[in-house]
Amino acid sequence: FLKIAEKYSTSFTIFPVGKVMTKNPTLWQEVKAAGHEIGNHSHDHVYIRNLSKARIKWSFRAFEDYDYPEVFGEAFAEPGLARVPFAEGPINRLVQEALYELGDKQVHWLRDSYSWARDGFDSPGNREYALEKIGGLAQGEIGVMHFTALDLAILPILLESLAEKGLTNVPFSVLWEARKNK
């Protein structure tokens, strides 16, 4: 991922799970040092559909108060960016209230590569499938990918496709500022 981002002179907003991030802090420090924005994807990637607001807040607060500072030695940004596991954020009132109370901006996407639906396995058929799902990104749209072999294989193709359309990949904060200033 870092080599691809460097080759294409681009940076991303990455949403790691806190307990995964703390298992390999050096890697995540490299990601941030390379200019990528780090957002909150919860401490434990729990399926939040049936959780209380207090439990939802706990998972996101644990990322912000413990995981992020442990890995980076600094406080999580305020307001921070949060991406809810399993696409539950936009349709779950308790999640929206919890993130609002934490002061976080909820980030949701329009297109997903769905590489996880193919177990992230890289094959020609799976590449075609994933590119069909995410390949139609247009200006201002947000796509979500994962660190799977499949997504890493299609990332250069996607970045080249965006360039052919005259578009540039940017981290969420850049997109947010552009939208605010319109």
Side-chain angles (χ1 to χ4, degrees):
F1 164 76
L2 289 173
K3 289 178 182 176
I4 294 168
E6 183 178 9
K7 178 181 177 181
Y8 288 90
S9 301
T10 192
S11 57
F12 296 86
T13 302
I14 315 271
F15 292 90
V17 174
K19 71 180 185 178
V20 172
M21 189 173 65
T22 59
K23 290 180 182 176
N24 194 346
T26 304
L27 170 66
W28 291 100
Q29 291 163 1
E30 287 179 43
V31 169
K32 188 172 181 200
H36 303 287
E37 191 170 58
I38 305 292
N40 183 348
H41 195 42
S42 80
H43 167 74
D44 48 5
H45 205 269
V46 66
Y47 190 66
I48 60 176
R49 180 167 293 208
N50 300 316
L51 297 180
S52 69
K53 182 168 43 167
R55 176 59 176 88
I56 295 166
K57 283 176 74 171
W58 178 89
S59 186
F60 283 91
R61 179 148 335 266
F63 178 98
E64 295 177 9
D65 292 349
Y66 303 105
D67 302 328
Y68 188 93
E70 179 182 324
V71 171
F72 298 109
E74 62 188 36
F76 188 67
E78 289 185 26
L81 301 177
R83 186 169 80 80
V84 179
F86 304 106
E88 286 292 312
I91 59 170
N92 186 311
R93 180 184 53 80
L94 290 179
V95 170
Q96 292 180 5
E97 290 174 5
L99 294 178
Y100 176 80
E101 290 171 14
L102 291 173
D104 290 342
K105 294 177 193 166
Q106 184 181 159
V107 178
H108 194 67
W109 61 95
L110 180 65
R111 297 185 186 273
D112 184 341
S113 70
Y114 289 94
S115 66
W116 51 268
R118 302 293 174 108
D119 294 323
F121 179 72
D122 181 27
S123 71
N126 284 352
R127 284 184 189 189
E128 184 178 322
Y129 168 86
L131 283 168
E132 181 181 307
K133 295 291 185 186
I134 199 167
L137 284 169
Q139 182 174 342
E141 294 180 347
I142 298 172
V144 65
M145 300 176 81
H146 298 81
F147 288 121
T148 65
L150 176 54
D151 278 349
L152 291 174
I154 68 167
L155 184 56
I157 299 165
L158 181 61
L159 291 170
E160 289 170 13
S161 172
L162 290 174
E164 288 171 6
K165 295 177 186 177
L167 302 174
T168 304
N169 175 69
V170 297
F172 180 79
S173 61
V174 173
L175 180 61
W176 180 260
E177 284 302 314
R179 286 179 176 176
K180 275 184 13 183
N181 295 327
K182 276 195 164 189

